[in-house]
Amino acid sequence: MREGEQVPEGRQVTGEPDELYERLKAFEGRAAATAGTGKDPVNEPMIRHWCEAMGDTNPAYSGPEAIAPPTMLQAWTMGGLSGHTDRSAAYEELFGLLDGAGYTSVVATDCEQEYLRPLRPGDRITFDAVIESVSERKTTRLGTGYFVTTRMDVRADGVRAGTHRFRILKYTPAAPKRSEPKRSESRRTEPRRTGPERAARGEGRSLRPRPVINRDNAGFWQGVAEHRLLIQRCGDCATLRFPWLPGCNACGCQEWDTVEASGEGTVFSHVVMHHPPFPAFGADGAGGPYAVALIELAEGVRMVSNVIGVPYDKVRTGMPVRLEFLRTDPDLELPVFRGGEG
């Protein structure tokens, strides 16, 4: 299973020798973690919480013969708030080299999982990890750095259960582009634009992050471009699902079509974002606070979006909302929900 990438592969930096890469390359094949142990055995409460968070109602994940959702493979190996204590000296040395050379920022890019046997409540999880590859130095929109891929082999009660590959980019952030002031060539001046006019043209403010569009969700974003909010519907059991997925959570069928949402919904839960301030998310460019809500659509599925039209501190659970499409800049339009009191 391959999850959507957050950054592109990048282009290779050429034209100069890269002594650091030769040092990084020597870490390939070395252990990243040895004889790691899951903090808890596979258990029903974690499975239940996962399924509730994901909206996954597959009956295989409950009852006396329950198995864990395969995509939880990595969850059983995670270190929690206290972090990992089983990382190898080689792993720490590799990242120390990158940090020391100025590649101090990190972003996860993608993961790939292979499932060999189901995990069941009571299984004890152990794992080993290896530094599988380090790319040559590449430049992406985020900055210049190196892609590092680790492979984790997961075992349940000593029997190999799956493989988890995880890739990150360790990079130096690209310097923000600053436009040079243009020298006037005549006495003519353009009319001064208002704040909303400048925002509509993407001027004078930062831009929102671009959504990740891949083969699994491209149809959703095509619908947004047509001012239609599309929900997937299973071709077998007719279960509606959101966000878009390649297969049905209820029956596993990979055939589907879409239905258009009415646009009516209510706030199921919400948070107010205060920090860090991000000007692109504030209508006035101030950067917040702003409300982010889990919206329950009239069709029964839920999605995360912004609530607009009411003060952030007036958003409430159960508040009725109505779908709108907000153009945040010339190249981005997003579904949002306008709050109401009725």
Side-chain angles (χ1 to χ4, degrees), residues 46 63 69 78 167 230 247 254 267 280 288 305 341:
M46 285 181 67
M78 299 182 78
R167 186 169 65 159
L230 299 179
Q254 295 187 354
V267 174
S305 185
E341 298 298 335

Side-chain angles (χ1 to χ4, degrees), residues 119-171:
L119 297 178
R120 294 180 171 83
D123 284 343
R124 294 280 177 177
I125 300 302
T126 56
F127 57 91
D128 296 308
V130 65
I131 302 166
E132 191 167 65
S133 66
V134 182
S135 76
E136 296 184 4
R137 188 169 70 239
K138 295 186 177 183
T139 295
T140 73
R141 290 191 302 269
L142 293 176
T144 297
Y146 300 84
F147 289 93
V148 179
T149 303
T150 55
R151 187 192 76 241
M152 179 181 292
D153 294 317
V154 181
R155 295 178 298 277
D157 292 331
V159 178
R160 198 162 163 234
T163 299
H164 174 80
R165 284 183 174 84
F166 192 68
R167 186 169 65 159
I168 64 171
L169 172 65
K170 283 284 287 181
Y171 66 100

Side-chain angles (χ1 to χ4, degrees), residues 110 123 132 171 196 211 239 256-257 301:
D110 64 274
D123 284 343
E132 191 167 65
Y171 66 100
T239 297
W256 53 270
D257 61 6
V301 298

